[in-house]
PDB file of all heavy atoms in Angstrom:
ATOM      1  N   VAL A  42       3.714   0.650  50.297  1.00 97.00           N
ATOM      2  CA  VAL A  42       2.677   0.336  51.307  1.00 97.00           C
ATOM      3  C   VAL A  42       2.186   1.557  51.974  1.00 97.00           C
ATOM      4  O   VAL A  42       0.924   1.810  52.178  1.00 97.00           O
ATOM      5  CB  VAL A  42       3.179  -0.660  52.339  1.00 97.00           C
ATOM      6  CG1 VAL A  42       2.301  -0.762  53.642  1.00 97.00           C
ATOM      7  CG2 VAL A  42       3.491  -2.033  51.786  1.00 97.00           C
ATOM      8  N   LEU A  43       3.128   2.467  52.339  1.00 97.00           N
ATOM      9  CA  LEU A  43       2.713   3.665  53.039  1.00 97.00           C
ATOM     10  C   LEU A  43       1.856   4.670  52.091  1.00 97.00           C
ATOM     11  O   LEU A  43       0.951   5.312  52.542  1.00 97.00           O
ATOM     12  CB  LEU A  43       3.935   4.424  53.477  1.00 97.00           C
ATOM     13  CG  LEU A  43       4.635   3.860  54.720  1.00 97.00           C
ATOM     14  CD1 LEU A  43       5.956   4.567  54.959  1.00 97.00           C
ATOM     15  CD2 LEU A  43       3.743   3.858  55.900  1.00 97.00           C
ATOM     16  N   TYR A  46      -1.539   3.164  52.110  1.00 98.00           N
ATOM     17  CA  TYR A  46      -2.102   3.597  53.364  1.00 98.00           C
ATOM     18  C   TYR A  46      -2.727   5.054  53.339  1.00 98.00           C
ATOM     19  O   TYR A  46      -3.747   5.354  53.706  1.00 98.00           O
ATOM     20  CB  TYR A  46      -1.122   3.345  54.493  1.00 98.00           C
ATOM     21  CG  TYR A  46      -1.627   3.813  55.824  1.00 98.00           C
ATOM     22  CD1 TYR A  46      -2.514   2.870  56.528  1.00 98.00           C
ATOM     23  CD2 TYR A  46      -1.299   4.910  56.478  1.00 98.00           C
ATOM     24  CE1 TYR A  46      -3.023   3.286  57.828  1.00 98.00           C
ATOM     25  CE2 TYR A  46      -1.792   5.295  57.746  1.00 98.00           C
ATOM     26  CZ  TYR A  46      -2.655   4.434  58.280  1.00 98.00           C
ATOM     27  OH  TYR A  46      -3.148   4.846  59.622  1.00 98.00           O
ATOM     28  N   ALA A 141      -3.608   7.453  66.183  1.00 97.00           N
ATOM     29  CA  ALA A 141      -4.187   6.379  65.397  1.00 97.00           C
ATOM     30  C   ALA A 141      -3.582   6.341  64.026  1.00 97.00           C
ATOM     31  O   ALA A 141      -3.323   5.189  63.475  1.00 97.00           O
ATOM     32  CB  ALA A 141      -5.658   6.545  65.310  1.00 97.00           C
ATOM     33  N   LEU A 142      -3.492   7.531  63.313  1.00 97.00           N
ATOM     34  CA  LEU A 142      -2.920   7.417  62.007  1.00 97.00           C
ATOM     35  C   LEU A 142      -1.445   6.957  62.013  1.00 97.00           C
ATOM     36  O   LEU A 142      -1.128   6.163  61.152  1.00 97.00           O
ATOM     37  CB  LEU A 142      -2.873   8.934  61.385  1.00 97.00           C
ATOM     38  CG  LEU A 142      -4.134   9.366  60.762  1.00 97.00           C
ATOM     39  CD1 LEU A 142      -4.057  10.899  60.495  1.00 97.00           C
ATOM     40  CD2 LEU A 142      -4.284   8.594  59.429  1.00 97.00           C
ATOM     41  N   LEU A 143      -0.628   7.320  62.859  1.00 97.00           N
ATOM     42  CA  LEU A 143       0.784   6.882  62.909  1.00 97.00           C
ATOM     43  C   LEU A 143       0.844   5.420  63.269  1.00 97.00           C
ATOM     44  O   LEU A 143       1.676   4.673  62.717  1.00 97.00           O
ATOM     45  CB  LEU A 143       1.598   7.720  63.927  1.00 97.00           C
ATOM     46  CG  LEU A 143       1.831   9.134  63.566  1.00 97.00           C
ATOM     47  CD1 LEU A 143       2.470   9.954  64.727  1.00 97.00           C
ATOM     48  CD2 LEU A 143       2.683   9.296  62.280  1.00 97.00           C
ATOM     49  N   ALA A 144      -0.065   5.076  64.205  1.00 98.00           N
ATOM     50  CA  ALA A 144      -0.006   3.622  64.580  1.00 98.00           C
ATOM     51  C   ALA A 144      -0.458   2.680  63.452  1.00 98.00           C
ATOM     52  O   ALA A 144       0.084   1.624  63.206  1.00 98.00           O
ATOM     53  CB  ALA A 144      -0.926   3.407  65.860  1.00 98.00           C
ATOM     54  N   GLY A 145      -1.452   3.191  62.727  1.00 98.00           N
ATOM     55  CA  GLY A 145      -1.965   2.436  61.566  1.00 98.00           C
ATOM     56  C   GLY A 145      -0.877   2.361  60.531  1.00 98.00           C
ATOM     57  O   GLY A 145      -0.786   1.284  59.831  1.00 98.00           O
ATOM     58  N   ALA A 146      -0.105   3.372  60.294  1.00 98.00           N
ATOM     59  CA  ALA A 146       0.957   3.295  59.210  1.00 98.00           C
ATOM     60  C   ALA A 146       2.024   2.345  59.651  1.00 98.00           C
ATOM     61  O   ALA A 146       2.498   1.509  58.924  1.00 98.00           O
ATOM     62  CB  ALA A 146       1.508   4.690  59.134  1.00 98.00           C
ATOM     63  N   ALA A 147       2.358   2.352  61.012  1.00 98.00           N
ATOM     64  CA  ALA A 147       3.345   1.333  61.476  1.00 98.00           C
ATOM     65  C   ALA A 147       2.714  -0.103  61.365  1.00 98.00           C
ATOM     66  O   ALA A 147       3.537  -0.990  60.971  1.00 98.00           O
ATOM     67  CB  ALA A 147       3.672   1.668  62.923  1.00 98.00           C
ATOM     68  N   ALA A 148       1.420  -0.246  61.509  1.00 98.00           N
ATOM     69  CA  ALA A 148       0.798  -1.556  61.475  1.00 98.00           C
ATOM     70  C   ALA A 148       0.861  -2.064  60.039  1.00 98.00           C
ATOM     71  O   ALA A 148       1.115  -3.256  59.759  1.00 98.00           O
ATOM     72  CB  ALA A 148      -0.586  -1.428  61.954  1.00 98.00           C
ATOM     73  N   ALA A 149       0.649  -1.169  59.021  1.00 98.00           N
ATOM     74  CA  ALA A 149       0.691  -1.561  57.627  1.00 98.00           C
ATOM     75  C   ALA A 149       1.987  -2.032  57.256  1.00 98.00           C
ATOM     76  O   ALA A 149       2.225  -3.080  56.519  1.00 98.00           O
ATOM     77  CB  ALA A 149       0.274  -0.334  56.723  1.00 98.00           C
ATOM     78  N   VAL A 150       3.125  -1.249  57.636  1.00 98.00           N
ATOM     79  CA  VAL A 150       4.442  -1.678  57.320  1.00 98.00           C
ATOM     80  C   VAL A 150       4.820  -3.046  58.013  1.00 98.00           C
ATOM     81  O   VAL A 150       5.362  -3.865  57.493  1.00 98.00           O
ATOM     82  CB  VAL A 150       5.421  -0.657  57.733  1.00 98.00           C
ATOM     83  CG1 VAL A 150       6.899  -1.110  57.678  1.00 98.00           C
ATOM     84  CG2 VAL A 150       5.197   0.688  56.798  1.00 98.00           C
ATOM     85  N   GLY A 151       4.346  -3.076  59.387  1.00 98.00           N
ATOM     86  CA  GLY A 151       4.720  -4.302  60.125  1.00 98.00           C
ATOM     87  C   GLY A 151       4.048  -5.429  59.559  1.00 98.00           C
ATOM     88  O   GLY A 151       4.549  -6.514  59.567  1.00 98.00           O
ATOM     89  N   ALA A 152       2.786  -5.311  59.026  1.00 98.00           N
ATOM     90  CA  ALA A 152       2.029  -6.395  58.410  1.00 98.00           C
ATOM     91  C   ALA A 152       2.836  -7.001  57.236  1.00 98.00           C
ATOM     92  O   ALA A 152       2.920  -8.253  57.095  1.00 98.00           O
ATOM     93  CB  ALA A 152       0.655  -6.014  58.054  1.00 98.00           C
ATOM     94  N   HIS A 153       3.338  -6.082  56.310  1.00 98.00           N
ATOM     95  CA  HIS A 153       4.148  -6.527  55.280  1.00 98.00           C
ATOM     96  C   HIS A 153       5.331  -7.220  55.698  1.00 98.00           C
ATOM     97  O   HIS A 153       5.669  -8.297  55.128  1.00 98.00           O
ATOM     98  CB  HIS A 153       4.573  -5.320  54.382  1.00 98.00           C
ATOM     99  CG  HIS A 153       5.197  -5.729  53.085  1.00 98.00           C
ATOM    100  ND1 HIS A 153       6.465  -6.073  53.012  1.00 98.00           N
ATOM    101  CD2 HIS A 153       4.588  -5.719  51.842  1.00 98.00           C
ATOM    102  CE1 HIS A 153       6.642  -6.282  51.667  1.00 98.00           C
ATOM    103  NE2 HIS A 153       5.645  -6.073  50.984  1.00 98.00           N
ATOM    104  N   LEU A 154       6.055  -6.807  56.689  1.00 98.00           N
ATOM    105  CA  LEU A 154       7.333  -7.414  57.120  1.00 98.00           C
ATOM    106  C   LEU A 154       7.079  -8.740  57.741  1.00 98.00           C
ATOM    107  O   LEU A 154       7.781  -9.736  57.511  1.00 98.00           O
ATOM    108  CB  LEU A 154       7.991  -6.456  58.105  1.00 98.00           C
ATOM    109  CG  LEU A 154       8.507  -5.180  57.568  1.00 98.00           C
ATOM    110  CD1 LEU A 154       9.129  -4.320  58.756  1.00 98.00           C
ATOM    111  CD2 LEU A 154       9.747  -5.376  56.633  1.00 98.00           C
ATOM    112  N   VAL A 155       6.015  -8.857  58.583  1.00 98.00           N
ATOM    113  CA  VAL A 155       5.655 -10.110  59.171  1.00 98.00           C
ATOM    114  C   VAL A 155       5.213 -11.187  58.147  1.00 98.00           C
ATOM    115  O   VAL A 155       5.848 -12.268  58.227  1.00 98.00           O
ATOM    116  CB  VAL A 155       4.544  -9.924  60.240  1.00 98.00           C
ATOM    117  CG1 VAL A 155       4.004 -11.263  60.598  1.00 98.00           C
ATOM    118  CG2 VAL A 155       5.085  -9.065  61.337  1.00 98.00           C
ATOM    119  N   LEU A 156       4.457 -10.730  57.283  1.00 97.00           N
ATOM    120  CA  LEU A 156       3.996 -11.782  56.309  1.00 97.00           C
ATOM    121  C   LEU A 156       5.108 -12.216  55.311  1.00 97.00           C
ATOM    122  O   LEU A 156       5.161 -13.468  55.130  1.00 97.00           O
ATOM    123  CB  LEU A 156       2.882 -11.186  55.397  1.00 97.00           C
ATOM    124  CG  LEU A 156       1.512 -11.133  56.176  1.00 97.00           C
ATOM    125  CD1 LEU A 156       0.549 -10.157  55.338  1.00 97.00           C
ATOM    126  CD2 LEU A 156       0.864 -12.653  56.151  1.00 97.00           C
ATOM    127  N   GLY A 177      -1.564  -8.826  51.820  1.00 96.00           N
ATOM    128  CA  GLY A 177      -2.028  -8.728  53.197  1.00 96.00           C
ATOM    129  C   GLY A 177      -1.993  -7.244  53.748  1.00 96.00           C
ATOM    130  O   GLY A 177      -2.766  -6.737  54.306  1.00 96.00           O
ATOM    131  N   ALA A 178      -0.856  -6.545  53.349  1.00 97.00           N
ATOM    132  CA  ALA A 178      -0.713  -5.175  53.688  1.00 97.00           C
ATOM    133  C   ALA A 178      -1.719  -4.256  53.041  1.00 97.00           C
ATOM    134  O   ALA A 178      -2.355  -3.286  53.666  1.00 97.00           O
ATOM    135  CB  ALA A 178       0.658  -4.670  53.374  1.00 97.00           C
ATOM    136  N   LEU A 181      -5.214  -4.791  54.547  1.00 97.00           N
ATOM    137  CA  LEU A 181      -5.288  -4.167  55.910  1.00 97.00           C
ATOM    138  C   LEU A 181      -5.553  -2.782  55.796  1.00 97.00           C
ATOM    139  O   LEU A 181      -6.425  -2.146  56.477  1.00 97.00           O
ATOM    140  CB  LEU A 181      -4.001  -4.399  56.621  1.00 97.00           C
ATOM    141  CG  LEU A 181      -3.839  -3.819  58.022  1.00 97.00           C
ATOM    142  CD1 LEU A 181      -2.937  -4.656  58.897  1.00 97.00           C
ATOM    143  CD2 LEU A 181      -3.286  -2.377  57.966  1.00 97.00           C
ATOM    144  N   CYS A 182      -4.964  -2.092  54.717  1.00 97.00           N
ATOM    145  CA  CYS A 182      -5.178  -0.573  54.578  1.00 97.00           C
ATOM    146  C   CYS A 182      -6.566  -0.156  54.210  1.00 97.00           C
ATOM    147  O   CYS A 182      -7.067   0.843  54.609  1.00 97.00           O
ATOM    148  CB  CYS A 182      -4.162  -0.082  53.519  1.00 97.00           C
ATOM    149  SG  CYS A 182      -2.381  -0.073  54.008  1.00 97.00           S
ATOM    150  N   TYR A 190      -8.304   3.516  61.794  1.00 97.00           N
ATOM    151  CA  TYR A 190      -6.896   3.946  61.842  1.00 97.00           C
ATOM    152  C   TYR A 190      -6.676   5.362  61.878  1.00 97.00           C
ATOM    153  O   TYR A 190      -5.576   5.892  61.814  1.00 97.00           O
ATOM    154  CB  TYR A 190      -6.195   3.322  60.562  1.00 97.00           C
ATOM    155  CG  TYR A 190      -6.339   1.863  60.405  1.00 97.00           C
ATOM    156  CD1 TYR A 190      -6.466   1.320  59.139  1.00 97.00           C
ATOM    157  CD2 TYR A 190      -6.312   0.933  61.449  1.00 97.00           C
ATOM    158  CE1 TYR A 190      -6.519  -0.079  58.888  1.00 97.00           C
ATOM    159  CE2 TYR A 190      -6.472  -0.390  61.243  1.00 97.00           C
ATOM    160  CZ  TYR A 190      -6.634  -0.909  60.050  1.00 97.00           C
ATOM    161  OH  TYR A 190      -6.668  -2.279  59.738  1.00 97.00           O
ATOM    162  N   GLU A 196      -7.558  -0.046  67.571  1.00 97.00           N
ATOM    163  CA  GLU A 196      -7.094  -1.066  66.612  1.00 97.00           C
ATOM    164  C   GLU A 196      -5.742  -0.837  65.950  1.00 97.00           C
ATOM    165  O   GLU A 196      -4.977  -1.731  65.827  1.00 97.00           O
ATOM    166  CB  GLU A 196      -8.260  -1.121  65.516  1.00 97.00           C
ATOM    167  CG  GLU A 196      -9.403  -2.041  65.912  1.00 97.00           C
ATOM    168  CD  GLU A 196     -10.346  -1.445  66.976  1.00 97.00           C
ATOM    169  OE1 GLU A 196     -10.235  -0.193  67.098  1.00 97.00           O
ATOM    170  OE2 GLU A 196     -11.087  -2.193  67.631  1.00 97.00           O
ATOM    171  N   GLY A 197      -5.600   0.404  65.502  1.00 96.00           N
ATOM    172  CA  GLY A 197      -4.245   0.701  64.867  1.00 96.00           C
ATOM    173  C   GLY A 197      -3.051   0.433  65.780  1.00 96.00           C
ATOM    174  O   GLY A 197      -2.072  -0.167  65.388  1.00 96.00           O
ATOM    175  N   LEU A 198      -3.173   0.901  67.025  1.00 97.00           N
ATOM    176  CA  LEU A 198      -2.094   0.788  67.953  1.00 97.00           C
ATOM    177  C   LEU A 198      -1.964  -0.654  68.287  1.00 97.00           C
ATOM    178  O   LEU A 198      -0.793  -1.237  68.390  1.00 97.00           O
ATOM    179  CB  LEU A 198      -2.564   1.516  69.281  1.00 97.00           C
ATOM    180  CG  LEU A 198      -1.472   1.822  70.239  1.00 97.00           C
ATOM    181  CD1 LEU A 198      -0.235   2.490  69.658  1.00 97.00           C
ATOM    182  CD2 LEU A 198      -1.957   2.640  71.388  1.00 97.00           C
ATOM    183  N   ALA A 199      -3.059  -1.458  68.540  1.00 97.00           N
ATOM    184  CA  ALA A 199      -2.925  -2.971  68.802  1.00 97.00           C
ATOM    185  C   ALA A 199      -2.217  -3.641  67.588  1.00 97.00           C
ATOM    186  O   ALA A 199      -1.516  -4.531  67.795  1.00 97.00           O
ATOM    187  CB  ALA A 199      -4.316  -3.477  69.106  1.00 97.00           C
ATOM    188  N   LEU A 200      -2.685  -3.229  66.395  1.00 98.00           N
ATOM    189  CA  LEU A 200      -2.004  -3.927  65.248  1.00 98.00           C
ATOM    190  C   LEU A 200      -0.497  -3.708  65.131  1.00 98.00           C
ATOM    191  O   LEU A 200       0.257  -4.492  64.746  1.00 98.00           O
ATOM    192  CB  LEU A 200      -2.672  -3.459  63.894  1.00 98.00           C
ATOM    193  CG  LEU A 200      -3.952  -4.328  63.492  1.00 98.00           C
ATOM    194  CD1 LEU A 200      -4.666  -3.499  62.437  1.00 98.00           C
ATOM    195  CD2 LEU A 200      -3.536  -5.627  63.071  1.00 98.00           C
ATOM    196  N   ALA A 201      -0.164  -2.407  65.398  1.00 98.00           N
ATOM    197  CA  ALA A 201       1.181  -2.077  65.373  1.00 98.00           C
ATOM    198  C   ALA A 201       2.047  -2.844  66.415  1.00 98.00           C
ATOM    199  O   ALA A 201       3.134  -3.481  66.095  1.00 98.00           O
ATOM    200  CB  ALA A 201       1.441  -0.506  65.700  1.00 98.00           C
ATOM    201  N   LEU A 202       1.466  -3.035  67.636  1.00 98.00           N
ATOM    202  CA  LEU A 202       2.177  -3.811  68.618  1.00 98.00           C
ATOM    203  C   LEU A 202       2.159  -5.254  68.327  1.00 98.00           C
ATOM    204  O   LEU A 202       3.102  -6.039  68.515  1.00 98.00           O
ATOM    205  CB  LEU A 202       1.520  -3.550  69.969  1.00 98.00           C
ATOM    206  CG  LEU A 202       1.641  -2.139  70.549  1.00 98.00           C
ATOM    207  CD1 LEU A 202       0.802  -1.994  71.824  1.00 98.00           C
ATOM    208  CD2 LEU A 202       3.156  -1.881  70.952  1.00 98.00           C
ATOM    209  N   LEU A 203       0.997  -5.784  67.751  1.00 98.00           N
ATOM    210  CA  LEU A 203       0.913  -7.177  67.459  1.00 98.00           C
ATOM    211  C   LEU A 203       1.924  -7.585  66.255  1.00 98.00           C
ATOM    212  O   LEU A 203       2.586  -8.520  66.337  1.00 98.00           O
ATOM    213  CB  LEU A 203      -0.553  -7.403  66.941  1.00 98.00           C
ATOM    214  CG  LEU A 203      -0.715  -8.936  66.406  1.00 98.00           C
ATOM    215  CD1 LEU A 203      -0.494  -9.897  67.469  1.00 98.00           C
ATOM    216  CD2 LEU A 203      -2.195  -8.916  65.809  1.00 98.00           C
ATOM    217  N   THR A 204       1.966  -6.719  65.245  1.00 98.00           N
ATOM    218  CA  THR A 204       2.936  -7.000  64.211  1.00 98.00           C
ATOM    219  C   THR A 204       4.362  -6.924  64.667  1.00 98.00           C
ATOM    220  O   THR A 204       5.239  -7.848  64.307  1.00 98.00           O
ATOM    221  CB  THR A 204       2.853  -6.054  63.027  1.00 98.00           C
ATOM    222  OG1 THR A 204       2.923  -4.754  63.403  1.00 98.00           O
ATOM    223  CG2 THR A 204       1.409  -6.315  62.348  1.00 98.00           C
ATOM    224  N   GLY A 205       4.678  -5.925  65.520  1.00 98.00           N
ATOM    225  CA  GLY A 205       6.001  -5.852  66.177  1.00 98.00           C
ATOM    226  C   GLY A 205       6.256  -7.106  67.071  1.00 98.00           C
ATOM    227  O   GLY A 205       7.389  -7.673  66.947  1.00 98.00           O
ATOM    228  N   VAL A 383     -10.166  -6.941  62.078  1.00 96.00           N
ATOM    229  CA  VAL A 383      -9.044  -6.361  61.369  1.00 96.00           C
ATOM    230  C   VAL A 383      -7.734  -6.959  61.880  1.00 96.00           C
ATOM    231  O   VAL A 383      -6.680  -6.882  61.127  1.00 96.00           O
ATOM    232  CB  VAL A 383      -9.049  -4.789  61.376  1.00 96.00           C
ATOM    233  CG1 VAL A 383     -10.212  -4.207  60.758  1.00 96.00           C
ATOM    234  CG2 VAL A 383      -8.754  -4.270  62.938  1.00 96.00           C
ATOM    235  N   PHE A 386      -5.083  -9.808  60.077  1.00 97.00           N
ATOM    236  CA  PHE A 386      -4.544  -9.412  58.853  1.00 97.00           C
ATOM    237  C   PHE A 386      -3.729 -10.458  58.064  1.00 97.00           C
ATOM    238  O   PHE A 386      -3.704 -10.372  56.778  1.00 97.00           O
ATOM    239  CB  PHE A 386      -3.469  -8.276  59.062  1.00 97.00           C
ATOM    240  CG  PHE A 386      -2.318  -8.695  59.870  1.00 97.00           C
ATOM    241  CD1 PHE A 386      -1.121  -9.000  59.136  1.00 97.00           C
ATOM    242  CD2 PHE A 386      -2.230  -8.747  61.202  1.00 97.00           C
ATOM    243  CE1 PHE A 386      -0.003  -9.416  59.768  1.00 97.00           C
ATOM    244  CE2 PHE A 386      -1.099  -9.102  61.942  1.00 97.00           C
ATOM    245  CZ  PHE A 386       0.029  -9.561  61.098  1.00 97.00           C
TER     246      PHE A 386
END
Side-chain angles (χ1 to χ4, degrees):
V42 169
L43 288 174
Y46 178 79
L142 274 170
L143 292 175
V150 170
H153 189 282
L154 293 173
V155 167
L156 282 163
L181 180 149
C182 293
Y190 306 143
E196 275 74 17
L198 196 55
L200 271 168
L202 291 171
L203 175 63
T204 56
V383 299
F386 72 92

